[in-house]
């Protein structure tokens, strides 16, 4: 109770997970949340006060004075704001488990930690702490001979003392981003009990370390984001217990050896310079048969897709994107009934999409075929059976088809990208796309007018959601937590979207042959963030109902035949940060107020009848306040293009209200000059 009283005044915002709410006088403390007692002595032997958002602890000796028999202490996920780790913790000589991760500690790791000889698990990760003297680090490792788990992510150690080889019981060693440079330490080879080793985000170089071959009990190995080069040794894929292998973001070359270990489930070899897969016949697939996740994206793979992939019946994810694979897509992929993700983006596959390929893939959630040379029509009969499909991206191909309104029968579809193909005809649908948040129809040959009822078919673009719950949320696909990317034109530039909150909504119908007036019903899409109807043949006024789209951040109506005044209702779009109304026949004064004070003259260029700030033309007389006749509107070329694709984006940034964080970035588009990395962590407007 003294600890609760002393600590409560230091809780930030009342605590995140208030374990101490159950700490009340008159009740047995051994029943309190976070408190564990010895069944025979009644003494407190384990104290878990993690996730309390505490900013400081009671005086340095408090824990060691009042809880001298502790065997477990967990202070993780608090906010001690750069304070140093108390050396008094080392007085808890019975400690077997100490977790100080994510606590905001900084400075020196106390040399007295060498007194904690009974430690089995030590986690100091994600703090700004360091061993000032190498001998202190060595002493800690030398004395804790029973240590089984050692977590030091982002702890500044720079070297690994030879004494680590004495930790014969060590099973988990995490040295992610600790500042290593050069070769992988040879002392690791003595840790023959290791089941998990993480050396990611350092500066290891040279060929793959042969010392790892001694670690025959390894189940998980990550040496990602380093500078390893040379080939992948065949013995690595023969380690008998290996389940997860992560070698992403290195400089590995050559062929990927045949998998000889039947235990391997997940293989991450993306972002290297690997040239191919070793030849494997369907009769020698012992090691491949249990593989569930194959990520080889962003390498130098060439030739046709190996047919034996069709026999990997356990596969959940295939990512071969951003390579140089060619030929047709094997129809035998039909056999992969467990597949959730198929990503063949940015290769050189050609020919039609196999008509029956998706017929057996009832668990499919993500199909990305963007950036190939695929033609023909969409395989309606087989694709319509994929009721769990959330993302379908066939952009930047040669698909020749009408609008696939039959996709409305897929109840989970959230992202539909058909841009830069040869789709044609009218865009109509009798059924609702109930979950659709992103629709890209740009750069096709769609024509006709837009029926008002069309916009009633996108309920997910109407529903306003609580954005406060989405801050920092990553969006994953399906049941396998697959992070995906796609390319959208946002605020005048093509942007690589790697992850987004569930509130992300966009509609892009630009660069087509749509005509007629823009229906007022479009204003019902109240949750839409980005709207692009540019480079068409729309006529008539800008609908005043657009003022109802209060979440809109980007509006592009450029290069149409729109006339009359700019509706004053648009000034109510207080989140609008990009506006392009250029190359129309708009007249009258430009509305003023709110965001309209931030747009420059380029937003209105090519509208000779407009006047007022920010244009140099001042308003006055009768010419600026009347409606011009439709006959005075300029005739556009086919597709409504008055200027080139590239020029449409010149001078504008993505401008999303978005923060940048570490993630996999897939630079994949046919117009790389406009690529901008966006949508990492979503920072919502205050």
């Amino acid at each position: 109770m003294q600890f609760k009283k002393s600590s409560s005044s230091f809780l930030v915002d009342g605590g995140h997970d208030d374990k101490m709410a159950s700490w009340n006088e008159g009740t047995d403390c051994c029943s309190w949340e976070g408190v564990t007692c010895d069944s025979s002595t009644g003494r407190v032997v384990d104290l878990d006060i993690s996730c309390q958002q505490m900013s400081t602890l009671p005086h340095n000796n408090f824990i060691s004075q009042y809880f001298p028999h502790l065997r477990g202490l967990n202070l993780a996920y608090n906010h001690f704001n750069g304070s140093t780790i108390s050396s008094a913790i080392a007085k808890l000589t019975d400690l077997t488990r100490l977790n100080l991760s994510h606590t905001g500690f900084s400075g020196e790791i106390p040399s007295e930690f060498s007194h904690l000889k009974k430690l089995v698990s030590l986690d100091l990760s994600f703090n700004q702490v360091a061993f000032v003297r190498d001998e202190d680090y060595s002493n800690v490792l030398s004395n804790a001979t029973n240590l089984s788990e050692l977590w030091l992510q982002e702890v500044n150690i720079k070297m690994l003392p030879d004494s680590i080889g004495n930790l014969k019981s060590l099973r988990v060693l995490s040295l992610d981003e600790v500042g290593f440079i050069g070769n992988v330490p040879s002392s690791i080879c003595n840790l023959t009990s290791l089941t998990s080793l993480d050396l990611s985000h350092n500066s290891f170089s040279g060929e793959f370390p042969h010392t790892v071959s001694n670690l025959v009990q390894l189940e998980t190995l990550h040496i990602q984001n380093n500078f390893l080069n040379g080939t992948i040794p065949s013995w690595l894929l023969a380690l008998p217990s290996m389940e997860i292998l992560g070698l992403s973001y290195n400089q590995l070359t050559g062929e990927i050896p045949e998998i000889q270990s039947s235990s391997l489930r997940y293989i991450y070899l993306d972002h290297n310079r690997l040239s191919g897969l070793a030849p494997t016949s369907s009769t020698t697939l012992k090691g491949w048969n249990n593989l569930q996740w194959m990520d080889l994206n962003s390498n130098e793979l060439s030739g046709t897709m190996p047919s034996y992939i069709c026999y990997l019946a356990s596969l959940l994810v295939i990512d071969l994107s951003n390579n140089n694979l060619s030929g047709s897509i094997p129809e035998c992929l039909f056999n992969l009934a467990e597949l959730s993700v198929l990503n063949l983006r940015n290769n050189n596959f050609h020919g039609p999409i196999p008509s029956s390929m998706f017929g057996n893939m009832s668990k499919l959630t993500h199909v990305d075929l963007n950036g190939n040379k695929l033609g023909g029509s969409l395989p309606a009969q087989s694709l319509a059976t994929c009721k769990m499909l959330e993302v379908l991206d066939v952009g930047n191909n040669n698909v020749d088809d009408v609008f696939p309104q039959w996709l409305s029968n897929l109840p989970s579809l959230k992202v539909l990208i058909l841009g830069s193909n040869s789709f044609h005809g009218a865009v109509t649908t009798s059924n609702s796309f109930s979950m659709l948040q992103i629709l890209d129809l740009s750069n096709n040959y769609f024509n006709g007018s837009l029926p008002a009822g069309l916009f009633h078919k996108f309920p997910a673009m109407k529903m306003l959601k609580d954005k406060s719950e989405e801050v920092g949320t990553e969006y994953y696909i399906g049941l396998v937590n697959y992070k995906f990317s796609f390319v959208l034109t946002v605020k005048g530039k093509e942007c690589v979207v790697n992850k987004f909150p569930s509130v992300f909504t966009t509609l892009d119908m630009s660069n087509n042959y749509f005509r007629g007036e823009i229906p007022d019903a479009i204003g019902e899409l109240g949750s839409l963030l980005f709207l692009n109807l540019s480079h068409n043949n729309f006529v008539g006024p800008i609908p005043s109902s657009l003022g109802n789209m209060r979440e809109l951040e980007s509006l592009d109506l450029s290069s149409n035949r729109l006339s009359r005044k700019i509706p004053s209702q648009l000034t109510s779009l207080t989140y609008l940060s990009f506006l392009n109304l250029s190359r129309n026949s708009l007249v009258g004064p430009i509305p003023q107020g709110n965001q309209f004070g931030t747009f420059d003259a380029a937003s209105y260029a090519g509208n000779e009848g407009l006047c007022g700030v920010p244009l140099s033309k001042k308003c006055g007389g009768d010419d600026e306040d009347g409606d011009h006749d439709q006959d005075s509107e300029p005739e556009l070329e086919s597709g409504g293009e008055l200027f080139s694709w590239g020029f449409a984006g010149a001078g504008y940034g993505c401008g999303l209200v978005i923060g940048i964080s570490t993630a996999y970035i897939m630079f994949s588009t046919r117009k790389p000059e406009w690529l901008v990395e966006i949508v990492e962590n979503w920072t919502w407007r205050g």
Side-chain angles (χ1 to χ4, degrees):
M1 292 308 299
Q2 283 182 285
F3 183 85
K4 177 180 180 180
K5 183 178 180 180
S6 300
S7 302
S8 60
S9 60
F10 302 121
L11 290 177
V12 180
D13 298 329
H16 175 64
D17 176 22
D18 193 0
K19 294 182 172 70
M20 297 184 195
S22 66
W23 296 16
N24 297 304
E25 292 186 23
T27 60
D28 182 5
C29 72
C30 297
S31 67
W32 296 348
E33 185 177 0
V35 177
T36 302
C37 299
D38 185 281
S39 58
S40 58
T41 66
R43 291 169 173 165
V44 174
V45 293
D46 197 294
L47 187 59
D48 180 357
I49 47 176
S50 60
C51 303
Q52 297 301 287
Q53 296 194 25
M54 296 175 64
S55 61
T56 189
L57 288 168
H59 65 80
N60 280 347
N61 293 316
F62 192 99
I63 292 179
S64 59
Q65 178 180 350
Y66 288 96
F67 307 106
H69 304 287
L70 280 182
R71 300 171 198 158
L73 176 61
N74 187 351
L75 301 177
Y77 292 94
N78 282 290
H79 301 283
F80 297 129
N81 301 321
S83 58
T84 57
I85 300 174
S86 171
S87 61
I89 291 177
K91 296 179 181 179
L92 301 170
T93 54
D94 288 333
L95 272 183
T96 60
R97 298 175 306 280
L98 176 59
N99 189 347
L100 304 181
S101 64
H102 296 273
T103 48
F105 283 126
S106 64
E108 181 179 355
I109 298 171
S111 60
E112 290 84 355
F113 270 27
S114 61
H115 301 158
L116 301 175
K117 298 179 180 181
K118 296 182 181 180
L119 278 179
V120 173
S121 177
L122 175 61
D123 191 345
L124 303 177
S125 55
F126 301 103
N127 289 294
Q128 299 298 314
V129 295
F131 288 100
V132 175
R133 292 169 294 278
D134 293 342
E135 58 267 26
D136 293 341
Y137 183 24
S138 181
N139 289 337
V140 170
L141 299 183
S142 297
N143 293 338
T145 54
N146 295 319
L147 202 61
S148 175
E149 298 178 356
L150 180 59
W151 308 83
L152 298 175
Q153 294 105 307
E154 297 189 20
V155 174
N156 186 9
I157 57 178
K158 289 189 171 58
M159 54 82 68
L160 201 60
D162 291 338
S163 58
I164 196 171
N166 299 325
L167 302 179
K168 302 302 183 182
S169 300
L170 197 64
R171 298 180 66 253
V172 177
L173 177 59
S174 181
L175 300 173
D176 183 346
E177 202 168 348
V178 296
F180 281 144
I181 298 174
N183 297 322
V184 174
S186 59
S187 53
I188 287 178
C189 70
N190 296 322
L191 304 176
T192 54
S193 296
L194 273 183
T195 60
S196 178
L197 174 61
D198 190 348
L199 302 175
S200 301
H201 298 93
N202 287 289
S203 295
F204 290 128
S205 58
E207 295 189 352
F208 196 90
H210 191 270
T211 55
V212 178
S213 63
N214 293 337
L215 309 180
V216 294
Q217 296 190 48
L218 264 187
E219 298 173 2
T220 301
L221 174 63
H222 290 290
I223 314 182
Q224 308 188 91
N225 293 79
N226 280 281
F227 298 94
L228 295 178
N229 54 42
T231 60
I232 299 174
S234 58
W235 56 259
L236 180 62
L237 301 185
L239 290 176
S241 301
M242 184 76 76
E243 295 183 9
I244 302 173
L245 175 62
L247 302 177
S248 305
Y249 288 91
N250 280 283
Q251 299 172 9
L252 298 170
T253 58
E255 287 189 337
I256 301 167
E258 183 177 346
I259 297 176
Q260 300 177 50
S261 171
S262 60
S263 62
L264 196 61
R265 301 289 189 273
Y266 301 88
I267 185 167
Y268 304 95
L269 301 177
D270 55 283
H271 294 84
N272 279 284
R273 297 168 55 195
L274 298 167
S275 58
L277 292 159
T280 303
S281 67
S282 59
T283 59
T284 59
L285 288 173
K286 182 181 78 170
W288 296 89
N289 277 338
N290 296 315
L291 199 64
Q292 297 179 6
W293 197 299
M294 178 191 289
D295 189 351
L296 307 179
N297 89 77
S298 303
N299 276 284
E300 299 174 4
L301 305 181
S302 60
T304 60
M305 184 189 298
S307 60
Y308 62 77
I309 288 180
C310 298
Y311 297 95
L312 309 183
S314 299
L315 273 178
L316 303 175
V317 173
I318 301 176
D319 191 342
L320 301 176
S321 61
N322 301 296
N323 280 288
N324 297 311
L325 295 169
S326 57
S328 58
I329 297 175
E331 190 154 2
C332 62
L333 292 178
F334 171 89
N335 296 324
L336 304 180
E338 299 298 316
L339 198 66
S340 180
V341 174
L342 176 64
N343 191 346
L344 304 179
R345 182 186 193 91
N346 284 341
N347 279 283
N348 292 305
F349 292 113
H350 57 76
I353 302 171
S355 59
S356 62
M357 183 173 74
F358 302 107
N360 196 36
M361 298 181 179
S362 60
K363 298 179 181 179
L364 205 60
T365 60
H366 180 176
V367 175
D368 191 344
L369 305 177
N370 192 301
N372 284 282
K373 300 174 183 177
L374 299 169
S377 58
L378 294 179
Q381 187 171 357
S382 66
L383 199 53
T385 65
C386 302
K387 298 299 184 182
M388 297 176 65
L389 195 66
E390 296 183 28
V391 174
L392 176 60
D393 186 349
V394 296
N396 291 286
N397 279 287
N398 301 315
V399 178
D400 187 355
D401 204 348
V402 296
F403 180 71
Q405 59 174 308
W406 48 269
L407 287 173
S408 62
N409 294 320
L410 302 183
S412 300
L413 192 64
K414 295 180 175 70
V415 178
L416 177 57
I417 298 179
L418 307 178
S420 298
N421 278 285
S422 296
F423 285 97
H424 53 272
V427 176
T428 59
T429 178
S430 56
N431 298 317
S432 291
F433 286 78
S434 58
M435 299 291 289
L436 197 64
Q437 297 173 222
I438 293 175
L439 177 60
D440 182 0
L441 306 180
S442 64
N443 294 284
N444 278 290
Y445 299 92
F446 290 118
N447 56 34
S449 59
L450 297 180
L454 176 67
F455 301 105
H456 300 313
K457 306 299 183 181
F458 305 132
M461 297 184 187
K462 295 181 179 182
M463 298 181 296
L464 293 177
K465 302 176 184 178
D466 184 2
K467 297 181 178 59
S468 64
E469 299 179 359
E470 301 294 338
V471 176
T473 301
E474 295 184 7
Y475 183 76
Y476 294 90
I477 285 298
L479 304 177
V480 296
N481 287 341
Y482 176 78
K483 293 188 288 188
F484 69 100
S485 75
F486 49 88
V487 177
L488 295 175
T489 299
V490 177
K491 303 186 180 182
K493 283 191 176 182
E494 286 199 343
C495 302
V496 180
V497 179
N498 292 284
K499 47 191 171 182
F500 64 92
S502 61
V503 293
F504 191 99
T505 53
T506 181
L507 175 61
D508 190 346
M509 307 178 80
S510 63
N511 284 275
N512 280 285
Y513 294 81
F514 293 118
R515 63 178 185 271
E517 296 191 359
I518 300 173
D520 286 337
I522 198 171
E524 297 177 14
L525 304 182
S527 69
L528 203 64
L529 300 180
F530 311 110
L531 175 62
N532 190 347
L533 302 179
S534 67
H535 294 81
N536 281 287
N537 286 312
F538 289 118
V539 299
I542 297 173
S544 60
S545 63
L546 292 179
N548 298 327
M549 303 169 72
R550 300 301 174 88
E551 304 300 316
L552 204 62
E553 294 185 11
S554 174
L555 175 62
D556 192 344
L557 303 178
S558 64
S559 298
N560 280 287
R561 301 169 60 192
L562 300 170
S563 59
R564 307 180 192 175
K565 293 181 179 180
I566 300 173
S568 60
Q569 289 87 344
L570 296 189
T571 61
S572 63
L573 303 178
T574 55
Y575 294 140
L576 197 66
S577 59
F578 177 88
L579 176 68
N580 191 354
L581 304 178
S582 65
R583 273 91 183 162
N584 281 287
S585 298
L586 301 170
V587 299
I590 295 172
Q592 301 299 314
N594 291 328
Q595 295 300 101
F596 270 68
T598 67
F599 305 130
D600 60 24
S603 295
Y604 311 102
N607 292 279
E608 300 302 323
L610 287 177
C611 61
V613 177
L615 302 178
S616 58
K617 180 181 178 182
K618 299 185 182 300
C619 296
D622 296 331
D623 291 340
E624 289 78 27
D625 56 9
D627 290 343
H628 282 200
D629 192 280
Q630 297 281 343
D631 294 338
S632 66
E633 295 161 350
E635 291 295 327
L636 303 189
E637 300 173 7
S638 63
E641 293 186 320
L642 282 175
F643 55 104
S644 70
W645 227 113
F647 184 80
Y652 298 101
C654 282
L656 288 175
V657 191
I658 289 166
I660 302 300
S661 69
T662 302
Y664 286 94
I665 307 297
M666 301 182 185
F667 294 96
S668 45
T669 176
R670 284 188 172 181
K671 304 184 182 70
E673 65 270 22
W674 297 120
L675 279 181
V676 175
E677 304 166 11
I678 65 166
V679 194
E680 285 297 284
N681 284 338
W682 195 273
T683 304
W684 282 104
R685 293 94 35 146

